[in-house]
Amino acid sequence: MENSGACQGLTRPIRCIVKLGGAAITCKNELEKINEENLGTVSSQLRQAMSSGPDSQKILGMDWSKRPGESELCCDVGGFYDQISCDSSNFVVVHGAGSFGHFQASKSGVHKGGLDKSLVKAGFVATRISVTTLNLEIVRALAAAGIPSVGMSPFSCGWLTSERNLESADLSMVVKAIESGFVPVLHGDAVLDSQLVTVTEEGSWSVVKPNYGSTNKPVEITVAAHDTTGGMVTKIAEAAMIAKLGIDVYIVKAATSHSQRALSGEIRRGSIPDDWLGTVIKFAGKPAQH
Amino acid sequence: MENSGACQGLTRPIRCIVKLGGAAITCKNELEKINEENLGTVSSQLRQAMSSGPDSQKILGMDWSKRPGESELCCDVGGFYDQISCDSSNFVVVHGAGSFGHFQASKSGVHKGGLDKSLVKAGFVATRISVTTLNLEIVRALAAAGIPSVGMSPFSCGWLTSERNLESADLSMVVKAIESGFVPVLHGDAVLDSQLVTVTEEGSWSVVKPNYGSTNKPVEITVAAHDTTGGMVTKIAEAAMIAKLGIDVYIVKAATSHSQRALSGEIRRGSIPDDWLGTVIKFAGKPAQH
C-alpha cells in the first residue's frame, strides 16, 4: 500500500507497507512449516524494490548466524567496505501467521480471552513462541537477501486492544527504526486486551480494526476453523478503511511477476495493464483526515 | 536481586529479577551454542522458586511448537483443566548474550557507532538476529518447564541510550506483562543511541549504566576481545548501584545447589550459611531515593 501522507516523526513519508500473507510464506496445511521457495522469492523482490543502487551490486547478506545443525556461518565483512550504503527507502514489512500460531491459539481459545484460566495463559505463551519463531525466520530471510530488517513484536511494542479493537499502537519505535535506515518487520501477535481482562490475537496490522460483531456480512464466506483472524472478510474490510485514508491498497499473489510489478511502482504510475493480475483498492472521494 | 520497593504501576512488588549470565547458559567458547544442560537445570530451579502450588503438581509445558527437524509437537491441553493456576510470583528474567551476538557486534564494530556505514548497519541487523535467536530459545526452555514466559526485546520496547548510557527505558509493557501473570524475559540487545547518531549494545539490563569512559578502574581486569559489554568490572559497578537503591544483589553460580538456595529465599532470611558459595551485595547505609 502507498502512503500519500507523512507519518508523524518521519522526515520522509513511508513508501510502502508490504503485508505478506500467512498463506504465502508458510505451508498453511502443514503445521509450522515455512514456504522456503516463496519466502526466498519474496525477499529477493523486496530487496530489488527497496534498492536504489545499481542492480549489479553484490548482495551482501546481513544474517551472520548459524543455521540449526550447521557449524559454519556466512559473514562477508570485507565486502561491506566497497558497498554503496543501502537506502532502505522507508519500507515496512508486516506478515501474517499462516501455519504458525493459529494452532496454539485455537487449541487454547486464547482469542476468546480469560487469562485467569491456566489453559488460556499457557496458550498465550505458546502462541507467542510460535509467531515469534516465524518472525525470526522472516527477518533472517530478508537480512540474508541484503535487507536491513529488524523484528518488532506488537506485544513488546506495547500495542493493546480493547474488546479486540486496537486501542493503542505505539508507533514511535517503528518510526525511529525507519529513520535509522532499518526495515521494521511486524507480525500478527498475541497482545493484551484491556477490556476483556484477557487477551486477543492481532492477526493483522491495521490502524483501525473493524469490530467483528458489528460487521454486516453481505456474503457468506467460509473461514477455516483454525483461522482466528477472521479470514478474508476482515481483510477486505480493513483494506477499504485504509483506502479511505487516501492510501492505495494492492492485493496481489506473492512471489509472482505480478507482485514484482506492483512493488516496482509500474501499476501505480499508469492505468492497470491487461496482463497484470491483482486487485487495487483506491478511494474515489476526498481522503479522510489522518 | 530483591526489590524492597514497589515498582510504579505494580499492585504487588517484584519479588526477584534473575539475571542469567551469558557464560552460564551458552557455551561461551563455541559460537552460538546453548548450554542445554545448564539451561534445563536453571529453568527447573526457576519454576520451583516461582511456583506456589504443591511440588507434586504435574509440570505442564507451555511450548507447543515444533523443534527443528522434528515433526511432532508436545501439547497437553487436557492437563490444564485440573491445574491450579500458576502464580508467577512477579519474577523478571534477564539474560546475557554469551556466545550469541558478541561475534557479530565485534566483527562490525557496531558498539562503536556509525550507522551511516553499511557494515555497522549490517552488524546491527546481524547482532539482533543472533541475540533474539538466543532469547527465543531461553523463552522456550522456560515455557517448557511450565513458566509463563514472554520474550521482550529492549529494542522493540523502545529503550534508547545516549552515549551508551541508558537514556530511556519504557517499562510500562514489562509492568503490564507482570500484572497479567507473565514472566518477562529481557535480554542484552542492540539498541539505538540518540547522541552518537549510532548504535550501542546493551549488554546488561540496568536502570543506570556507568559510563565506561569515566570509570576509575582500581585493578586491571582482562576482558575477552569479543566481549563488547565490559566484562565483570561493569557488572560489579552496576550491582553496587543497584544495592545503593536498597535492592540486595546475589551473585551465584547458575544451575548449582547454591543458586537454588538463593532462589528459595533461604540466604535472605538469616545469616549467610558457611556452606553457601556466592556473593551478596547489600547497602549498609540509607537507601537512595527510587
Side-chain angles (χ1 to χ4, degrees):
Chain A
M1 70 192 75
E2 204 76 19
N3 188 345
S4 59
C7 190
Q8 212 168 16
L10 279 176
T11 48
R12 292 180 304 158
I14 288 174
R15 193 173 129 205
C16 192
I17 299 174
V18 178
K19 163 80 192 281
L20 303 172
I25 48 167
T26 72
C27 304
K28 204 152 183 176
N29 294 320
E30 197 172 335
L31 199 65
E32 297 191 337
K33 190 166 168 56
I34 285 166
N35 188 329
E36 304 278 0
E37 196 185 332
N38 265 12
L39 182 56
T41 307
V42 162
S43 302
S44 173
Q45 286 189 0
L46 282 171
R47 155 81 198 193
Q48 283 174 47
M50 289 177 199
S51 178
S52 54
D55 275 358
S56 59
Q57 192 165 325
K58 194 181 164 196
I59 307 294
L60 293 168
M62 299 184 189
D63 175 6
W64 304 344
S65 284
K66 287 198 290 190
R67 285 269 150 206
E70 286 177 23
S71 60
E72 293 297 306
L73 53 81
C74 176
C75 171
D76 178 9
V77 165
F80 283 97
Y81 292 111
D82 322 313
Q83 180 88 322
I84 299 160
S85 182
C86 169
D87 183 357
S88 68
S89 309
N90 286 24
F91 267 71
V92 177
V93 174
V94 191
H95 63 82
S99 60
F100 288 75
H102 291 308
F103 163 79
Q104 289 83 359
S106 59
K107 199 87 180 168
S108 59
V110 71
H111 53 294
K112 295 174 197 158
L115 255 192
D116 50 320
K117 299 186 200 96
S118 284
L119 176 59
V120 172
K121 194 191 274 185
F124 189 94
V125 169
T127 302
R128 291 216 71 237
I129 287 173
S130 188
V131 294
T132 53
T133 298
L134 174 62
N135 180 250
L136 186 54
E137 288 303 318
I138 307 291
V139 167
R140 292 189 71 168
L142 295 172
I147 296 169
S149 53
V150 284
M152 302 187 81
S153 285
F155 174 83
S156 304
C157 289
W159 296 25
L160 301 169
T161 55
S162 174
E163 290 177 352
R164 287 190 184 160
N165 292 295
L166 198 58
E167 184 179 66
S168 70
D170 186 350
L171 291 170
S172 60
M173 200 51 212
V174 175
V175 167
K176 282 196 186 83
I178 296 168
E179 282 289 300
S180 304
F182 296 107
V183 176
V185 184
L186 290 82
H187 62 95
D189 200 2
V191 299
L192 298 176
D193 190 291
S194 62
Q195 282 305 305
L196 306 169
V197 198
T198 61
V199 292
T200 179
E201 195 196 5
E202 263 301 285
S204 62
W205 190 77
S206 56
V207 178
V208 183
K209 191 164 185 180
N211 191 319
Y212 298 175
S214 64
T215 304
N216 255 322
K217 294 180 190 176
V219 286
E220 275 296 315
I221 296 182
T222 308
V223 177
H226 66 272
D227 195 337
T228 51
T229 65
M232 275 313 279
V233 178
T234 316
K235 291 174 180 79
I236 295 286
E238 286 171 351
M241 292 174 94
I242 293 165
K244 271 194 183 171
L245 299 171
I247 301 164
D248 298 345
V249 181
Y250 298 78
I251 302 177
V252 58
K253 191 169 181 185
T256 62
S257 61
H258 309 292
S259 60
Q260 187 160 32
R261 290 169 74 185
L263 282 169
S264 74
E266 178 199 332
I267 310 303
R268 176 169 57 98
R269 281 189 290 268
S271 57
I272 296 173
D274 283 343
D275 62 346
W276 184 77
L277 293 178
T279 305
V280 184
I281 303 174
K282 287 181 190 235
F283 187 57
K286 194 175 162 224
Q289 286 288 323
H290 67 110
Chain B
M1 70 191 73
E2 204 76 19
N3 188 346
S4 58
C7 190
Q8 213 166 16
L10 279 176
T11 47
R12 291 180 305 158
I14 288 173
R15 193 174 129 205
C16 191
I17 299 173
V18 178
K19 162 80 191 282
L20 304 172
I25 49 167
T26 72
C27 304
K28 204 152 184 176
N29 294 320
E30 198 172 334
L31 198 65
E32 297 191 337
K33 190 166 167 55
I34 285 166
N35 188 328
E36 303 279 0
E37 196 184 334
N38 265 13
L39 182 57
T41 307
V42 162
S43 302
S44 172
Q45 286 189 359
L46 282 171
R47 154 82 197 192
Q48 282 174 47
M50 290 176 199
S51 178
S52 54
D55 275 358
S56 58
Q57 191 164 326
K58 195 182 165 197
I59 307 295
L60 293 167
M62 299 186 190
D63 174 7
W64 304 344
S65 285
K66 287 198 289 190
R67 284 270 150 206
E70 285 178 22
S71 59
E72 294 297 307
L73 54 79
C74 175
C75 170
D76 178 10
V77 165
F80 283 97
Y81 293 111
D82 323 312
Q83 180 89 322
I84 298 161
S85 182
C86 170
D87 182 357
S88 68
S89 310
N90 287 23
F91 266 71
V92 177
V93 173
V94 191
H95 62 83
S99 60
F100 288 74
H102 291 309
F103 164 79
Q104 289 83 359
S106 59
K107 200 86 180 169
S108 59
V110 71
H111 52 294
K112 294 175 197 156
L115 254 192
D116 50 321
K117 299 187 199 95
S118 284
L119 176 60
V120 172
K121 195 190 272 184
F124 189 94
V125 169
T127 302
R128 291 216 72 237
I129 287 173
S130 187
V131 294
T132 52
T133 298
L134 174 62
N135 180 250
L136 185 55
E137 288 303 316
I138 307 291
V139 167
R140 292 188 71 167
L142 294 172
I147 296 169
S149 53
V150 284
M152 302 187 81
S153 285
F155 174 83
S156 305
C157 288
W159 295 26
L160 301 169
T161 55
S162 174
E163 291 179 348
R164 288 189 183 162
N165 291 296
L166 198 57
E167 185 180 66
S168 69
D170 186 350
L171 291 170
S172 60
M173 201 50 213
V174 175
V175 167
K176 283 195 185 83
I178 297 168
E179 282 290 299
S180 303
F182 296 108
V183 175
V185 184
L186 290 82
H187 62 95
D189 200 3
V191 299
L192 298 175
D193 190 291
S194 62
Q195 282 304 304
L196 305 170
V197 197
T198 62
V199 293
T200 180
E201 196 196 5
E202 264 301 286
S204 62
W205 191 77
S206 56
V207 178
V208 183
K209 191 165 183 178
N211 191 317
Y212 298 174
S214 65
T215 304
N216 255 322
K217 294 180 188 174
V219 286
E220 276 295 315
I221 296 182
T222 308
V223 177
H226 67 271
D227 195 336
T228 51
T229 65
M232 275 312 280
V233 178
T234 316
K235 291 174 178 81
I236 295 285
E238 286 170 351
M241 291 172 94
I242 293 165
K244 272 193 182 171
L245 298 170
I247 300 163
D248 297 344
V249 181
Y250 298 78
I251 302 176
V252 59
K253 191 170 182 184
T256 62
S257 61
H258 309 291
S259 61
Q260 187 160 33
R261 290 169 74 184
L263 281 169
S264 74
E266 177 199 333
I267 309 303
R268 176 169 58 99
R269 279 188 291 268
S271 57
I272 296 173
D274 284 344
D275 62 346
W276 183 77
L277 292 179
T279 305
V280 183
I281 303 173
K282 287 181 190 233
F283 187 56
K286 195 176 161 222
Q289 285 289 323
H290 66 110

